[in-house]
Amino acid sequence: MDGADGARKAVREQVMYGADWIKYYSDRRYHFETDGVLHSMVNFTDEEAKAIVDEAHRLGKKVARTPSVATASPPRFAPAWTPSNTATA
């Protein structure tokens, strides 16, 4: 997947194959920096993550975001559309 358009296309493909939910892994690998804070590598840009959520909702599907690490830094998404570990409407 490449970019927001690719994210929307991936959602449409999953829905075409019968997906009732769209679930994506928001990050991978984690490590502690010298500041003692746990950091993770994100899988998607903010624009791509927003496109996943927006397209799924446009198609009437729920979204679940699964972080690799439950204790990772807070999500960096705008509260108006923040995907979470639980389903969104």
Side-chain angles (χ1 to χ4, degrees):
M1 181 183 73
D2 186 23
D5 288 338
R8 284 186 279 276
K9 180 180 177 187
V11 169
R12 288 192 303 272
E13 284 179 1
Q14 293 303 310
V15 170
M16 180 180 70
Y17 290 119
D20 293 321
W21 285 74
I22 301 299
K23 180 178 179 180
Y24 71 98
Y25 289 88
S26 59
D27 61 5
R28 65 187 185 287
R29 285 209 251 152
Y30 56 93
H31 61 281
F32 284 97
E33 296 271 331
T34 55
D35 59 5
V37 176
L38 183 64
H39 295 268
S40 64
M41 295 176 61
V42 297
N43 289 326
F44 304 100
T45 65
D46 288 349
E47 183 182 7
E48 290 166 338
K50 185 174 186 323
I52 291 168
V53 173
D54 289 348
E55 188 68 9
H57 286 175
R58 186 183 74 78
L59 297 171
K61 303 301 177 182
K62 295 181 180 183
V63 178
R65 174 186 67 99
T66 303
S68 296
V69 183
T71 58
S73 328
R76 42 189 193 107
F77 305 110
W81 66 272
T82 301
S84 67
N85 293 345
T86 58
T88 61

